[in-house]
Amino acid sequence: MQAQGKDQRSVIGAVGNVVKLLGAATVTGVLVAAVALPTVGGAGLTVNAAADELRLLPEELQEPPLAEKTTLLDADGKQFAQFYFENRESVKLDAVADVMKTAIVAIEDFRFYEHGAIDLEGTFRAAVKNVSGGGVVQGGSSITQQYVKLVLVNAAESKEEQEAAIAPTLSRKLNELRYALAIEEKYTKSEILERYLNISYYGAGAYGIQAASKRFFNKSASKLTLWEAATLAGAVQNPSVTDPNAGKASRDRLLARRNVVLNRMAELGKITPQEAEEAKKKKLGFKNIEAPGGCEESPYPYFCLYVRHEIATNEDFGKTRKQRERLLQRGGLVIKTTLDPKAQKAAEKAIKQYVKTSDKPVASQAMIVPGTGAVKAMAASRKFGRNKKKNEISYNLVGDRTHGGGAGFQAGSTFKPFTLLTALDQGMKLNDGFGTGSGYKAPSRSAFRDCKGNVVGDTNHEVKNSSEGGGGFKTLTSGTLGSVNTFFMRLSQEVGLCDTVKMAKSLGIKRADGEPLKEFETFTLGINEMDPVTVSAAYATIAARGTYCTPMVITESTDRDGKKTSYKPKCKQVLDEEVADAATHIMSGVFTKGTMTEVGGIGRPAAGKTGTTDAYTAAWFAGFTPDLASAVSLGDPRGAFKHDLTGVTIGGRYYSYVYGASISGRIWKNSMIGALKGVEATPFTSVNMSRFGGCSPGRCEPKPPPKRDGDGPGDGPGDRRGDNRGDNRGDNGGGPFRPGGDGREVNGGDPFGGAPIAPTVP
């Protein structure tokens, strides 16, 4: 009985195969007739009816641009980064070796140049073999049909669309055929082959023949040899199975597939049997050439990050963020940037001199050209990456959060120039001043109002000078050079907190974390967290005589079709030129009479300001010449208040306290000298002394009373020893000089949720 049942099943199976074969033949016959005989009359009426039923007419295929890699170039045109969704470089057919064209046609569609959209003979042959074999034994799709399928797969936005594009259904094959008919009408055979070679995936992350040639064999597609061409031609059938990166078994399968291609080429007479045998003796030869993508692989990762996020947020590159990010990953752009290799190298070298990559505190620097906003360099002491054991960091230390950065560090006394500018803009003169004490308390809550009109003065909070140094009469000049906290608190009170905030904002000041600026009474002492790019741009505004320019990192982009788009600086005059000149005049004294005296200048006209924050949580220096502005920050990203800059070893040197001039000022000096080497020095515009010289009535330093008989030197009330008492001894004047020559400044804290009040520094 079992034998009889088995015989019956055999008979039934045989009959089923015959039915399937007849069905395949019928479908193939309809396709043959529909394609080859679309207008046959008489007996062909049934064929016409079938064609109408199947609607086998050309249908336009939407061909979205292939995903191409985007390349970033420095100002000299050298590549420093690339982004890609698919590692692809499309090339013209004449840039592909003839042997590659021959190999792919031989193995995938040897009658490619003889048939139309469908190889009728091949389709029927494949159908018969597949039915008789009980599965897919041989493919029947032409190169044109394969191209159509790959276009549909690449265009798919969802998993469902991708599955539909490869579904083993008659409706999918019919749609594919309709599109293929249109493709054959639209392009020549050479154009179809070119598109097929560029869209195909070859394994190992390589899309398109050019990327595959480089990935597999470290050469362009135009230089492929016979055995190399056969390898790549064999890879397109099932690249996931023959991916050489997947292991030895996959490489063995790829080698076997290569030899199948060589045999087929010999069988078709494209090469001789001897040539085939010689080629088969070759090893696989996979060189596994990496195609680094993303900023982690870039030599300038922080600049790369800034550019990447600039594209993602800049509407010049698309209406929505999704469109812009897609363009970056797939658009095939060549983007020329403002990065200056000389300036970048100078910044990196200077940082390396003073801060090690293994140090927990991190130094960060940006360089910007006044008058254009072109960012020349972005550097940091830590390497970019995600390996915490190597002390790497995975966000942009130099930029704000919009550009991939973090929360930044409090800017300290680098904010005092904004109050200085406000005072000068309101008509104060270089030697206008007032007497100050060693501490300052707001006389009333209404002494300070934010820009919403809220009273923010704190009559209980006392801001102190460093080491409780004595006050005395301070002018705009001496108060700035000494970075006297109490003077700037009184000055901020007089010119108005809101006006100072508005001045800072006009120079591009905004918090690194994107939150609104904290408008507290201690605003002038730098309680807001900043990033070096933003501070550099603000100081570049002063250098450019009041012209603020949005930081600019991209100068030109070229799309896949060779169309170039240039990007111009976005600048506007935000400040009276002469006001900027007056501030520059004062700030240029920082190297000779102020907190950078022990560090010194850079051998050309320069101006700047140190910035040490409350409780030594961060240390800054920002400065400029007419040709270049730069800001350097130093702080601990683990938490500036928990991990302050006291009792720390940085760069192999121990520091009891880190001031703005200690490390940041020195980095600034050395990097600026290097970046400006070979650049002719440009002088600052002289201050208009008829407008800003001298002092205003009621704001001049009181004359000392006449000496009385018997008075010893220095007798008499108050501090009458000149504007510069305390210069070179610290930002706040009157404090004892610190060994090591570090300029000193300690800012008052923010009693409204910012920094805690610093203890008195001895």
Side-chain angles (χ1 to χ4, degrees), residues 72 80-81 83 294-310 339 344 348 351 357 362-366 375 377-386 391-400 403-406 532-533 553 637:
L72 302 187
F80 67 90
F83 303 94
C295 295
E296 193 166 346
E297 303 294 333
S298 172
Y300 313 127
Y302 301 110
F303 200 102
C304 173
L305 277 172
Y306 199 97
V307 174
R308 174 185 168 188
H309 286 276
E310 176 66 20
L339 190 149
Q344 181 71 31
E348 291 175 353
I351 288 174
T357 57
V362 61
S364 307
Q365 182 175 21
V375 182
M378 293 186 199
S381 57
R382 285 211 203 167
K383 290 184 177 180
F384 179 74
R386 301 183 183 279
N391 205 35
E392 293 177 344
I393 204 154
S394 60
Y395 61 88
N396 192 352
L397 289 163
V398 193
D400 59 12
H403 293 90
V533 170
V553 290

Side-chain angles (χ1 to χ4, degrees), residues 54-59 171 174-182:
L54 296 172
R55 292 188 301 105
L56 288 175
L57 298 172
E59 188 171 323
S171 61
L174 291 175
N175 278 333
E176 197 176 89
L177 180 54
R178 295 184 189 104
Y179 292 135
L181 289 168

Side-chain angles (χ1 to χ4, degrees), residues 31-288:
L31 295 179
V32 170
V35 176
L37 304 168
T39 58
V40 174
L45 288 175
T46 303
V47 171
N48 282 333
D52 290 340
E53 181 68 24
L54 296 172
R55 292 188 301 105
L56 288 175
L57 298 172
E59 188 171 323
E60 182 71 18
L61 174 67
Q62 297 298 316
E63 300 172 81
L66 295 179
E68 300 272 358
K69 70 178 183 180
T70 289
T71 303
L72 302 187
L73 308 178
D74 64 25
D76 293 338
K78 184 178 179 181
Q79 178 178 325
F80 67 90
Q82 62 183 6
F83 303 94
Y84 57 79
F85 175 74
E86 295 174 348
N87 176 27
R88 176 185 284 109
E89 298 176 59
S90 293
V91 292
K92 296 294 184 182
L93 193 61
D94 59 11
V96 179
D98 288 339
V99 69
M100 183 67 225
K101 305 169 197 173
T102 301
I104 197 73
V105 170
I107 194 63
E108 289 298 321
D109 186 1
F110 78 97
R111 285 168 28 84
F112 174 64
Y113 290 101
E114 301 169 21
H115 61 69
I118 183 172
D119 181 2
L120 302 172
E121 178 183 318
T123 299
F124 184 76
R125 182 176 61 249
V128 172
K129 286 191 175 183
N130 289 342
V131 170
S132 60
V136 179
V137 177
Q138 179 175 328
S141 295
S142 66
I143 282 178
T144 306
Q145 288 174 282
Q146 291 183 53
Y147 170 71
V148 167
K149 181 169 69 174
L150 290 170
V151 169
L152 295 173
V153 170
N154 275 269
E157 294 285 349
S158 65
K159 185 178 180 181
E160 292 74 18
E161 290 176 347
Q162 289 177 342
E163 291 175 349
I166 60 174
T169 63
L170 177 60
S171 61
R172 194 268 294 177
K173 294 297 289 184
L174 291 175
N175 278 333
E176 197 176 89
L177 180 54
R178 295 184 189 104
Y179 292 135
L181 289 168
I183 291 295
E184 288 279 347
E185 290 182 355
K186 185 177 182 180
Y187 301 121
T188 65
K189 286 290 187 179
S190 293
E191 289 172 333
I192 294 171
L193 182 60
E194 177 185 301
R195 281 168 163 74
Y196 176 71
L197 287 168
N198 281 321
I199 198 173
S200 294
Y201 178 57
Y202 296 81
Y207 293 81
I209 189 60
Q210 180 78 334
S213 299
K214 292 181 178 181
R215 183 84 168 92
F216 280 61
F217 304 116
N218 196 26
K219 61 175 62 175
S220 65
S222 63
K223 297 181 179 180
L224 291 170
T225 64
L226 170 60
W227 63 273
E228 291 167 341
T231 302
L232 296 179
V236 298
Q237 184 190 56
N238 197 344
S240 62
V241 172
T242 57
D243 189 327
N245 269 343
K248 185 177 184 303
S250 291
R251 290 192 290 273
D252 289 344
R253 286 191 289 268
L254 180 58
L255 190 65
R257 178 66 180 165
R258 179 200 72 181
N259 293 340
V260 169
V261 175
L262 291 168
N263 289 337
R264 182 59 172 162
M265 293 176 73
E267 181 184 333
L268 295 172
K270 303 300 180 182
I271 59 174
T272 66
Q274 292 77 16
E275 288 174 323
E277 290 305 314
E278 285 298 317
K280 283 192 284 186
K281 292 178 183 178
K282 298 284 187 180
K283 294 182 179 180
L284 184 62
F286 176 62
K287 295 187 181 297
N288 195 23

Side-chain angles (χ1 to χ4, degrees), residues 529-553:
E529 284 81 4
M530 306 301 298
D531 61 277
V533 170
T534 300
V535 176
S536 294
Y539 275 56
T541 306
I542 307 173
R545 305 188 69 210
T547 298
Y548 171 74
C549 300
T550 303
M552 175 184 179
V553 290

